[in-house]
Amino acid sequence: MTIIQTPKELQELLKNETRSIGFVPTMGALHHGHLSLIEKSIKENELNIVSIFVNPTQFLEGEDLDKYPSKFDADEKICKLAGVDILFYPKKEDMYEEDEIKVIAPNIRGFVLEGAMRPGHFDGVLTIVMKLLNIVSPTKAYFGKKDAQQLSLISQMVKNFHMKVQIIPLETVREDDGLALSSRNIYLDKVQRKEALKISSSLKKATQLVMQKTLDVSLLQEEMLKVLKPLDVEYVAIVSRAFIPQEKVVIGDSIILVAAKLGTTRLIDNLWI
Ligand code: AMP
């Protein structure tokens, strides 16, 4: 596995590449969720690239940028063992200049839910993903459904800007008890870890109710909030795949999403119905 640190070096290396390229962008502190994307990429492509970059522009003032877990040595081993060919590990100064052109999230999809709670977050995400996709020029890029709104906006960006990459969405990987894997789970103490289960339980509860033909969104939200009590819930929402709020669940076109805080740790999870 080759470790590359600058966009210039990576583009030089890939200049005459004719093989199919699979790409998995991450912020590191890799877990089995990331690994599922990497493994899928390796199955489907001849050359596989993973990036690790904790992108400062997607963190808001007061968020966890400074304490975001950094585990480069472990991440390097995980990528090597998985069979990754190139690990791209750029520095902030090689990714950004002063006073840059940015990608701006769309008004509707970009400013609900995560976009409303974290204004500017998606501008940061879309801008860095655009940069990474342009540097790597992958055939396919792999993203988790765990970050559903991010995935939706990236797919829209690729469509709106006529980019050639194919975006491949993959299912959320969970702990045995249902907690969605996240690099932020390590912040949780024992009690919070147990409480965090209420997030996936509330999603399970909603699915059960939907299977029993309860499709009314306010009713489902009410039932989910009961399960989530006493967590500090930021939102419980049910939207279409295009992130338009729904009054009734539409099987095949609904996503149920939750964001909640345990102490200072903010977790998100969702289920696609
Ligand atoms: P991050 O390092 O948090 O930026 O995540 C990098 C990629 O891994 C994104 O596409 C995430 O959606 C995806 N990802 C994060 N957690 C999971 C998970 N539990 N299951 C599947 N994919 C995930």
Side-chain angles (χ1 to χ4, degrees):
M1 185 176 78
T2 314
I3 298 173
I4 302 281
Q5 283 209 281
T6 67
K8 209 172 155 206
E9 278 172 278
L10 184 54
Q11 288 190 298
E12 186 59 32
L13 189 75
L14 297 174
K15 193 167 66 181
N16 300 317
E17 193 50 68
T18 55
R19 290 173 288 181
S20 61
I21 300 179
F23 178 45
V24 181
T26 79
M27 298 205 299
L30 301 181
H31 51 63
H32 282 278
H34 297 115
L35 200 56
S36 74
L37 306 183
I38 294 171
E39 283 168 352
K40 185 76 172 171
S41 171
I42 289 174
K43 253 192 214 136
E44 295 187 346
N45 299 279
E46 293 159 300
L47 183 75
N48 290 281
I49 304 178
V50 171
S51 66
I52 296 179
F53 181 62
V54 181
N55 173 39
T57 67
Q58 71 189 64
F59 287 78
L60 271 64
E61 199 73 30
E63 288 190 345
D64 56 345
L65 173 63
D66 296 335
K67 62 165 188 162
Y68 197 82
S70 164
K71 299 183 171 181
F72 184 76
D73 294 345
D75 291 348
E76 183 189 343
K77 278 190 198 118
I78 291 171
C79 288
K80 211 176 199 171
L81 281 172
V84 171
D85 300 295
I86 299 172
L87 180 55
F88 182 46
Y89 183 54
K91 292 195 178 72
K92 184 183 152 200
E93 52 273 29
D94 290 316
M95 293 303 286
Y96 290 105
E97 291 174 13
E98 284 293 303
D99 196 27
E100 286 202 333
I101 291 170
K102 292 185 181 72
V103 182
I104 305 290
N107 280 332
I108 299 172
R109 280 193 201 193
F111 285 88
V112 291
L113 307 175
E114 287 302 285
M117 301 312 300
R118 306 178 71 191
H121 166 70
F122 285 126
D123 299 348
V125 169
L126 294 174
T127 302
I128 194 65
V129 171
M130 169 74 94
K131 280 173 187 268
L132 290 167
L133 291 175
N134 284 340
I135 293 164
V136 175
S137 284
T139 318
K140 293 180 179 176
Y142 297 79
F143 293 89
K145 286 184 175 180
K146 158 90 171 27
D147 298 282
Q149 199 174 359
Q150 166 178 292
L151 169 64
S152 164
L153 291 172
I154 290 169
S155 303
Q156 189 185 351
M157 176 176 78
V158 164
K159 183 166 169 264
N160 291 164
F161 287 89
H162 305 279
M163 296 162 77
K164 284 205 193 106
V165 60
Q166 199 184 333
I167 301 296
I168 311 288
L170 289 183
E171 294 304 325
T172 299
V173 177
R174 298 174 180 281
E175 301 278 9
D176 289 343
D177 60 7
L179 181 72
L181 295 187
S182 161
S183 305
R184 291 188 166 100
N185 289 351
I186 58 159
Y187 300 148
L188 302 172
D189 66 28
K190 239 180 168 175
V191 177
Q192 290 170 335
R193 170 67 182 76
K194 210 167 155 220
E195 284 290 285
L197 270 188
K198 291 186 169 152
I199 298 175
S200 53
S201 302
S202 73
L203 291 166
K204 258 186 238 154
K205 173 79 187 179
T207 320
Q208 278 165 6
L209 289 169
V210 169
M211 287 190 321
Q212 291 159 13
K213 305 230 163 35
T214 305
L215 302 178
D216 184 82
V217 165
S218 1
L219 227 140
L220 290 167
Q221 282 172 316
E222 232 172 80
E223 290 301 317
M224 288 176 72
L225 285 168
K226 280 186 204 159
V227 178
L228 287 161
K229 240 180 191 154
L231 295 194
D232 178 5
V233 177
E234 285 192 355
Y235 61 76
V236 170
I238 302 186
V239 298
S240 69
R241 297 280 204 269
F243 276 82
I244 309 297
Q246 294 176 318
E247 282 178 18
K248 285 217 175 313
V249 166
V250 180
I251 312 277
D253 186 35
S254 289
I255 310 176
I256 309 181
L257 306 102
V258 180
K261 269 178 137 176
L262 292 113
T264 54
T265 306
R266 186 175 183 278
L267 299 179
I268 58 169
D269 197 356
N270 63 71
L271 269 181
W272 298 45
I273 300 279

PDB file of all heavy atoms in Angstrom, residues 25-28 31 33-34 37 68 143-144 146-147 150 171-173 181, ligand 1:
ATOM      1  N   PRO A  25     -13.937   7.816   0.647  1.00  0.00           N
ATOM      2  CA  PRO A  25     -13.485   8.958   1.453  1.00  0.00           C
ATOM      3  C   PRO A  25     -13.923   8.802   2.912  1.00  0.00           C
ATOM      4  O   PRO A  25     -15.075   8.458   3.175  1.00  0.00           O
ATOM      5  CB  PRO A  25     -14.199  10.165   0.820  1.00  0.00           C
ATOM      6  CG  PRO A  25     -15.189   9.628  -0.135  1.00  0.00           C
ATOM      7  CD  PRO A  25     -15.116   8.134  -0.167  1.00  0.00           C
ATOM      8  N   THR A  26     -13.018   9.061   3.845  1.00  0.00           N
ATOM      9  CA  THR A  26     -13.343   8.940   5.280  1.00  0.00           C
ATOM     10  C   THR A  26     -12.643  10.048   6.071  1.00  0.00           C
ATOM     11  O   THR A  26     -11.761  10.728   5.558  1.00  0.00           O
ATOM     12  CB  THR A  26     -12.860   7.599   5.887  1.00  0.00           C
ATOM     13  OG1 THR A  26     -11.442   7.698   6.151  1.00  0.00           O
ATOM     14  CG2 THR A  26     -13.102   6.411   4.978  1.00  0.00           C
ATOM     15  N   MET A  27     -13.048  10.136   7.337  1.00  0.00           N
ATOM     16  CA  MET A  27     -12.331  11.030   8.258  1.00  0.00           C
ATOM     17  C   MET A  27     -11.487  10.211   9.240  1.00  0.00           C
ATOM     18  O   MET A  27     -11.069  10.727  10.286  1.00  0.00           O
ATOM     19  CB  MET A  27     -13.315  11.923   9.016  1.00  0.00           C
ATOM     20  CG  MET A  27     -14.095  12.838   8.067  1.00  0.00           C
ATOM     21  SD  MET A  27     -14.701  14.335   8.835  1.00  0.00           S
ATOM     22  CE  MET A  27     -15.770  13.672  10.082  1.00  0.00           C
ATOM     23  N   GLY A  28     -11.253   8.944   8.912  1.00  0.00           N
ATOM     24  CA  GLY A  28     -10.386   8.113   9.754  1.00  0.00           C
ATOM     25  C   GLY A  28     -11.103   7.560  10.964  1.00  0.00           C
ATOM     26  O   GLY A  28     -12.330   7.559  11.036  1.00  0.00           O
ATOM     27  N   HIS A  31     -13.777   1.997  11.392  1.00  0.00           N
ATOM     28  CA  HIS A  31     -14.490   0.903  12.058  1.00  0.00           C
ATOM     29  C   HIS A  31     -15.100   0.009  10.976  1.00  0.00           C
ATOM     30  O   HIS A  31     -14.880   0.235   9.778  1.00  0.00           O
ATOM     31  CB  HIS A  31     -15.534   1.457  13.029  1.00  0.00           C
ATOM     32  CG  HIS A  31     -16.455   2.495  12.429  1.00  0.00           C
ATOM     33  ND1 HIS A  31     -17.322   2.225  11.385  1.00  0.00           N
ATOM     34  CD2 HIS A  31     -16.627   3.820  12.706  1.00  0.00           C
ATOM     35  CE1 HIS A  31     -18.004   3.299  11.082  1.00  0.00           C
ATOM     36  NE2 HIS A  31     -17.588   4.299  11.849  1.00  0.00           N
ATOM     37  N   GLY A  33     -17.965  -0.154   9.771  1.00  0.00           N
ATOM     38  CA  GLY A  33     -18.798   0.555   8.792  1.00  0.00           C
ATOM     39  C   GLY A  33     -17.940   0.994   7.616  1.00  0.00           C
ATOM     40  O   GLY A  33     -18.260   0.731   6.444  1.00  0.00           O
ATOM     41  N   HIS A  34     -16.814   1.651   7.935  1.00  0.00           N
ATOM     42  CA  HIS A  34     -15.877   2.056   6.877  1.00  0.00           C
ATOM     43  C   HIS A  34     -15.384   0.829   6.113  1.00  0.00           C
ATOM     44  O   HIS A  34     -15.270   0.843   4.884  1.00  0.00           O
ATOM     45  CB  HIS A  34     -14.657   2.760   7.488  1.00  0.00           C
ATOM     46  CG  HIS A  34     -14.961   4.030   8.212  1.00  0.00           C
ATOM     47  ND1 HIS A  34     -14.764   4.165   9.561  1.00  0.00           N
ATOM     48  CD2 HIS A  34     -15.435   5.220   7.786  1.00  0.00           C
ATOM     49  CE1 HIS A  34     -15.090   5.402   9.940  1.00  0.00           C
ATOM     50  NE2 HIS A  34     -15.505   6.053   8.878  1.00  0.00           N
ATOM     51  N   LEU A  37     -17.444  -0.467   3.342  1.00  0.00           N
ATOM     52  CA  LEU A  37     -17.320   0.315   2.100  1.00  0.00           C
ATOM     53  C   LEU A  37     -16.037  -0.088   1.369  1.00  0.00           C
ATOM     54  O   LEU A  37     -16.016  -0.258   0.146  1.00  0.00           O
ATOM     55  CB  LEU A  37     -17.276   1.819   2.391  1.00  0.00           C
ATOM     56  CG  LEU A  37     -18.372   2.483   3.228  1.00  0.00           C
ATOM     57  CD1 LEU A  37     -18.146   3.979   3.328  1.00  0.00           C
ATOM     58  CD2 LEU A  37     -19.743   2.240   2.652  1.00  0.00           C
ATOM     59  N   TYR A  68     -11.638  15.298  17.551  1.00  0.00           N
ATOM     60  CA  TYR A  68     -12.080  14.205  16.674  1.00  0.00           C
ATOM     61  C   TYR A  68     -11.026  13.090  16.707  1.00  0.00           C
ATOM     62  O   TYR A  68      -9.833  13.363  16.567  1.00  0.00           O
ATOM     63  CB  TYR A  68     -12.293  14.700  15.233  1.00  0.00           C
ATOM     64  CG  TYR A  68     -13.117  13.714  14.432  1.00  0.00           C
ATOM     65  CD1 TYR A  68     -14.499  13.705  14.526  1.00  0.00           C
ATOM     66  CD2 TYR A  68     -12.504  12.743  13.640  1.00  0.00           C
ATOM     67  CE1 TYR A  68     -15.264  12.773  13.834  1.00  0.00           C
ATOM     68  CE2 TYR A  68     -13.259  11.801  12.946  1.00  0.00           C
ATOM     69  CZ  TYR A  68     -14.643  11.835  13.051  1.00  0.00           C
ATOM     70  OH  TYR A  68     -15.391  10.896  12.375  1.00  0.00           O
ATOM     71  N   PHE A 143     -20.327   5.407  -0.245  1.00  0.00           N
ATOM     72  CA  PHE A 143     -20.786   6.206   0.898  1.00  0.00           C
ATOM     73  C   PHE A 143     -21.809   5.411   1.701  1.00  0.00           C
ATOM     74  O   PHE A 143     -22.546   4.594   1.141  1.00  0.00           O
ATOM     75  CB  PHE A 143     -21.422   7.515   0.408  1.00  0.00           C
ATOM     76  CG  PHE A 143     -20.438   8.457  -0.232  1.00  0.00           C
ATOM     77  CD1 PHE A 143     -20.172   8.383  -1.594  1.00  0.00           C
ATOM     78  CD2 PHE A 143     -19.751   9.400   0.529  1.00  0.00           C
ATOM     79  CE1 PHE A 143     -19.246   9.241  -2.200  1.00  0.00           C
ATOM     80  CE2 PHE A 143     -18.830  10.263  -0.062  1.00  0.00           C
ATOM     81  CZ  PHE A 143     -18.575  10.184  -1.427  1.00  0.00           C
ATOM     82  N   GLY A 144     -21.867   5.683   3.012  1.00  0.00           N
ATOM     83  CA  GLY A 144     -22.788   4.952   3.885  1.00  0.00           C
ATOM     84  C   GLY A 144     -24.152   5.619   3.969  1.00  0.00           C
ATOM     85  O   GLY A 144     -24.250   6.845   3.998  1.00  0.00           O
ATOM     86  N   LYS A 146     -25.781   5.560   6.525  1.00  0.00           N
ATOM     87  CA  LYS A 146     -25.791   6.115   7.885  1.00  0.00           C
ATOM     88  C   LYS A 146     -25.868   7.644   7.840  1.00  0.00           C
ATOM     89  O   LYS A 146     -26.528   8.266   8.652  1.00  0.00           O
ATOM     90  CB  LYS A 146     -24.513   5.652   8.593  1.00  0.00           C
ATOM     91  CG  LYS A 146     -24.045   6.462   9.757  1.00  0.00           C
ATOM     92  CD  LYS A 146     -24.650   5.963  11.030  1.00  0.00           C
ATOM     93  CE  LYS A 146     -24.087   6.568  12.285  1.00  0.00           C
ATOM     94  NZ  LYS A 146     -23.524   7.878  12.222  1.00  0.00           N
ATOM     95  N   ASP A 147     -25.143   8.249   6.879  1.00  0.00           N
ATOM     96  CA  ASP A 147     -25.209   9.696   6.695  1.00  0.00           C
ATOM     97  C   ASP A 147     -26.126   9.962   5.505  1.00  0.00           C
ATOM     98  O   ASP A 147     -25.677  10.333   4.417  1.00  0.00           O
ATOM     99  CB  ASP A 147     -23.803  10.256   6.471  1.00  0.00           C
ATOM    100  CG  ASP A 147     -22.920  10.003   7.678  1.00  0.00           C
ATOM    101  OD1 ASP A 147     -23.057  10.737   8.657  1.00  0.00           O
ATOM    102  OD2 ASP A 147     -22.134   9.028   7.666  1.00  0.00           O
ATOM    103  N   GLN A 150     -26.269  13.432   3.754  1.00  0.00           N
ATOM    104  CA  GLN A 150     -24.988  13.646   3.064  1.00  0.00           C
ATOM    105  C   GLN A 150     -24.958  12.857   1.752  1.00  0.00           C
ATOM    106  O   GLN A 150     -24.612  13.389   0.690  1.00  0.00           O
ATOM    107  CB  GLN A 150     -23.859  13.190   3.987  1.00  0.00           C
ATOM    108  CG  GLN A 150     -22.515  13.021   3.315  1.00  0.00           C
ATOM    109  CD  GLN A 150     -21.434  12.620   4.305  1.00  0.00           C
ATOM    110  OE1 GLN A 150     -21.059  13.395   5.166  1.00  0.00           O
ATOM    111  NE2 GLN A 150     -20.916  11.420   4.191  1.00  0.00           N
ATOM    112  N   GLU A 171     -25.366  -0.091   3.124  1.00  0.00           N
ATOM    113  CA  GLU A 171     -26.163  -0.181   4.364  1.00  0.00           C
ATOM    114  C   GLU A 171     -25.336   0.194   5.597  1.00  0.00           C
ATOM    115  O   GLU A 171     -24.120   0.008   5.620  1.00  0.00           O
ATOM    116  CB  GLU A 171     -26.658  -1.623   4.562  1.00  0.00           C
ATOM    117  CG  GLU A 171     -27.655  -2.108   3.516  1.00  0.00           C
ATOM    118  CD  GLU A 171     -28.880  -1.210   3.392  1.00  0.00           C
ATOM    119  OE1 GLU A 171     -29.323  -0.668   4.419  1.00  0.00           O
ATOM    120  OE2 GLU A 171     -29.376  -1.045   2.267  1.00  0.00           O
ATOM    121  N   THR A 172     -26.036   0.652   6.610  1.00  0.00           N
ATOM    122  CA  THR A 172     -25.408   0.989   7.897  1.00  0.00           C
ATOM    123  C   THR A 172     -24.981  -0.285   8.625  1.00  0.00           C
ATOM    124  O   THR A 172     -25.775  -1.210   8.763  1.00  0.00           O
ATOM    125  CB  THR A 172     -26.413   1.773   8.766  1.00  0.00           C
ATOM    126  OG1 THR A 172     -26.750   2.965   8.062  1.00  0.00           O
ATOM    127  CG2 THR A 172     -25.840   2.117  10.129  1.00  0.00           C
ATOM    128  N   VAL A 173     -23.735  -0.292   9.068  1.00  0.00           N
ATOM    129  CA  VAL A 173     -23.252  -1.429   9.862  1.00  0.00           C
ATOM    130  C   VAL A 173     -23.491  -1.103  11.339  1.00  0.00           C
ATOM    131  O   VAL A 173     -23.244   0.033  11.776  1.00  0.00           O
ATOM    132  CB  VAL A 173     -21.755  -1.687   9.588  1.00  0.00           C
ATOM    133  CG1 VAL A 173     -21.232  -2.822  10.464  1.00  0.00           C
ATOM    134  CG2 VAL A 173     -21.540  -2.001   8.110  1.00  0.00           C
ATOM    135  N   LEU A 181     -22.578   1.901  14.058  1.00  0.00           N
ATOM    136  CA  LEU A 181     -21.160   2.204  14.286  1.00  0.00           C
ATOM    137  C   LEU A 181     -20.885   3.645  13.880  1.00  0.00           C
ATOM    138  O   LEU A 181     -21.392   4.127  12.875  1.00  0.00           O
ATOM    139  CB  LEU A 181     -20.277   1.264  13.457  1.00  0.00           C
ATOM    140  CG  LEU A 181     -20.314  -0.215  13.810  1.00  0.00           C
ATOM    141  CD1 LEU A 181     -19.269  -0.965  13.004  1.00  0.00           C
ATOM    142  CD2 LEU A 181     -20.073  -0.437  15.296  1.00  0.00           C
TER     143      LEU A 181
HETATM  144  P1  AMP B   1     -16.764   9.415   8.188  1.00  0.00           P
HETATM  145  O1  AMP B   1     -15.411   8.882   8.457  1.00  0.00           O
HETATM  146  O2  AMP B   1     -17.638   9.516   9.390  1.00  0.00           O
HETATM  147  O3  AMP B   1     -16.740  10.685   7.375  1.00  0.00           O
HETATM  148  O4  AMP B   1     -17.492   8.342   7.265  1.00  0.00           O
HETATM  149  C1  AMP B   1     -16.939   7.934   6.036  1.00  0.00           C
HETATM  150  C2  AMP B   1     -17.939   7.092   5.310  1.00  0.00           C
HETATM  151  O5  AMP B   1     -18.287   5.947   6.091  1.00  0.00           O
HETATM  152  C3  AMP B   1     -19.263   7.845   5.018  1.00  0.00           C
HETATM  153  O6  AMP B   1     -19.710   7.510   3.719  1.00  0.00           O
HETATM  154  C4  AMP B   1     -20.169   7.298   6.080  1.00  0.00           C
HETATM  155  O7  AMP B   1     -21.545   7.345   5.711  1.00  0.00           O
HETATM  156  C5  AMP B   1     -19.697   5.860   6.179  1.00  0.00           C
HETATM  157  N1  AMP B   1     -20.097   5.265   7.452  1.00  0.00           N
HETATM  158  C6  AMP B   1     -19.962   5.795   8.701  1.00  0.00           C
HETATM  159  N2  AMP B   1     -20.511   4.982   9.622  1.00  0.00           N
HETATM  160  C7  AMP B   1     -21.009   3.925   8.955  1.00  0.00           C
HETATM  161  C8  AMP B   1     -21.709   2.737   9.346  1.00  0.00           C
HETATM  162  N3  AMP B   1     -21.998   2.475  10.613  1.00  0.00           N
HETATM  163  N4  AMP B   1     -22.078   1.859   8.380  1.00  0.00           N
HETATM  164  C9  AMP B   1     -21.786   2.111   7.074  1.00  0.00           C
HETATM  165  N5  AMP B   1     -21.131   3.203   6.640  1.00  0.00           N
HETATM  166  C10 AMP B   1     -20.753   4.097   7.566  1.00  0.00           C
END
